[in-house]
Amino acid sequence: MVTFSSFSSLLASALPALAFLSLSVSALRLPHPRTASSIATLKLAVRINSYGIENIVVADRARIQALRAGSSSSVNATNAVVTYTADIGVGSPATYYTLLLDTGSSNTWIGAIKPYELTKTSRDTGNKFYVPYGDCGYVFGEEYMDTITLNPDLVIDNQFIGVALNHSELDDGLDGLLGLGPVDLTQGIVNNTYEVPTVTDNLFAQKKISSEVLGVFFAPASSNDSSGELTFGGYNASKITGNLSYVPITSTYPASAYWGIDQSITYGSTPILAETAGIVDTGTTLILIPTDAFNKYQSATGATLDESTGFLKISSDQYSQLSSLHFNTGGVTYELTPNGQIWPRSLNSAINGATDGIYLVIGDTGSRSGSGMDFTNGYCFLSRFYSVYDMTNSRVGFATTEYTFATMN
């Protein structure tokens, strides 16, 4: 999911055969045998952005509403504060492009800043692609097939990739987007084409990875190492501290079209959201819950809505009394501690907040439960839990990390 300035401003042990991949702008680009058993642990690059008043809350709410409406296969993914990027090589010899990572969309495209360089592996399909983003953002261009280099061990032949001819303005330094969502989201994007195999689809089809699985690790923005890691073909067992548990993709539409799960939430021992469908989304910053659950949460915490940020705000005394939130999915409960529920105070200026203010990362979707997509477990959830996206078995996995119970915020 991509930020456009036209918005309100507006991520069990590993098997030996799995190829681990973490992408980074600093990734080595030296020749290396292309073997699926290689392990390449490279970090994602993190961006800390600041766009001003209300951006995160407004952008996140606009995103879930657009996804729920099904009006686009991809909407804003450059969150107002924390985003993750990777340098991806295109062509042979490769030209490297800085792309935004997004599990909520599936088409990969380039050309927003750096022009596409035709090489011996480039092939114009003759088809056009068009992706709308939320209210008024978009990208339009020509669909090519080319060689994609994720790292020296993971090189994809004949990958469909869009080359932008016209687009809404992206954040500085971003060349496009790497789509990591389900392949169904590519339907209707490229003319004369039913759907386009994703990067993960082709890695698996070309036997570069042994399973169609994606592992995502984010460290909290306030930690000493706020980077991330992306693993194709499995997950990095060294990043988790407990068991990895899976939940099947929900059957409830429209959440079922994305990385959707069924989940209930309690605050302390008080239920605030009965089991319902929602999504797990790297392109959303906050944790969004429906209005009826949000009102219960606000009442239970005693928080007030802060007009300067759009966030719920609590006092120091209220923070000391804050209970944990419990996310119940797939028969497992994941505890989001009081510290995990507050915005990193070191980044308060990025949301137009007071230096000593305490702001909660739980937001309102803007509609009541029962929509078919009632919540989003965004970055603030994913920075506390490792997440796995298993396309082969249509399921999502979670596990605790060293940051699940940390108190750095």
Side-chain angles (χ1 to χ4, degrees), residues 262-304:
D262 295 317
Q263 175 179 270
S264 65
I265 303 175
T266 60
Y267 174 75
S269 59
T270 304
I272 63 171
L273 181 64
E275 184 169 274
T276 188
I279 62 172
V280 184
D281 181 28
T282 61
T284 297
T285 303
L286 304 178
I287 299 166
L288 298 183
I289 59 177
T291 300
D292 43 320
F294 180 82
N295 290 340
K296 292 176 183 177
Y297 178 73
Q298 181 177 2
S299 175
T301 60
T304 57

Side-chain angles (χ1 to χ4, degrees), residues 125-399:
T125 67
N127 296 324
K128 299 292 191 294
F129 77 99
Y130 176 79
V131 184
Y133 292 96
D135 13 347
C136 52
Y138 69 95
V139 59
F140 166 79
E142 191 85 7
E143 191 78 0
Y144 280 79
M145 294 181 74
D146 212 332
T147 297
I148 303 296
T149 300
L150 300 174
N151 77 3
D153 295 328
L154 294 179
V155 180
I156 309 168
D157 299 318
N158 300 316
Q159 174 65 45
F160 282 91
I161 186 165
V163 176
L165 299 175
N166 199 357
H167 58 86
S168 301
E169 184 178 348
L170 286 173
D171 289 340
D172 290 343
L174 291 178
D175 291 307
L177 182 144
L178 178 65
L180 301 172
V183 68
D184 290 356
L185 296 180
T186 68
Q187 294 174 8
I189 298 300
V190 181
N191 71 320
N192 301 317
T193 307
Y194 176 63
E195 65 183 19
V196 173
T198 66
V199 164
T200 312
D201 288 338
N202 278 335
L203 282 171
F204 181 66
Q206 295 175 23
K207 303 186 184 305
K208 304 297 174 68
I209 56 177
S210 62
S211 58
E212 205 167 356
V213 176
L214 178 70
V216 176
F217 171 77
F218 294 146
S222 55
S223 67
N224 292 330
D225 179 11
S226 58
S227 62
E229 178 183 293
L230 186 64
T231 302
F232 284 105
Y235 64 93
N236 188 344
S238 70
K239 294 295 185 182
I240 67 176
T241 58
N243 295 327
L244 177 64
S245 299
Y246 288 97
V247 56
I249 296 296
T250 182
S251 60
T252 302
Y253 184 81
S256 58
Y258 301 88
W259 291 112
I261 61 173
D262 295 317
Q263 175 179 270
S264 65
I265 303 175
T266 60
Y267 174 75
S269 59
T270 304
I272 63 171
L273 181 64
E275 184 169 274
T276 188
I279 62 172
V280 184
D281 181 28
T282 61
T284 297
T285 303
L286 304 178
I287 299 166
L288 298 183
I289 59 177
T291 300
D292 43 320
F294 180 82
N295 290 340
K296 292 176 183 177
Y297 178 73
Q298 181 177 2
S299 175
T301 60
T304 57
L305 189 62
D306 181 65
E307 293 185 2
S308 65
T309 62
F311 282 60
L312 289 178
K313 186 178 182 181
I314 57 175
S315 67
S316 296
D317 287 343
Q318 289 170 323
Y319 175 56
S320 67
Q321 300 299 314
L322 202 63
S323 297
S324 291
L325 271 176
H326 301 281
F327 296 76
N328 314 298
T329 183
V332 179
T333 297
Y334 300 91
E335 180 183 358
L336 188 68
T337 64
N339 190 260
Q341 294 171 57
I342 67 172
W343 182 254
R345 280 169 279 192
S346 60
L347 296 179
N348 277 357
S349 61
I351 61 169
N352 201 37
T355 302
D356 58 351
I358 303 176
Y359 303 94
L360 299 173
V361 298
I362 311 302
D364 184 357
T365 65
S367 60
R368 297 184 62 82
S369 55
S371 69
M373 189 187 291
D374 288 332
F375 62 84
T376 303
N377 291 357
Y379 166 79
C380 290
F381 179 89
L382 297 174
S383 64
R384 297 290 179 147
F385 299 96
Y386 195 99
S387 57
V388 178
Y389 307 86
D390 185 342
M391 300 165 201
T392 302
N393 299 297
S394 298
R395 59 185 184 172
V396 178
F398 300 110

Side-chain angles (χ1 to χ4, degrees), residues 84-115:
Y84 288 87
T85 65
D87 261 17
I88 305 300
V90 179
S92 181
T95 300
Y96 281 79
Y97 300 87
T98 300
L99 304 186
L100 185 70
L101 307 179
D102 186 9
T103 57
S105 62
S106 302
N107 291 81
T108 295
W109 63 272
I110 62 172
I113 298 177
K114 188 182 296 185

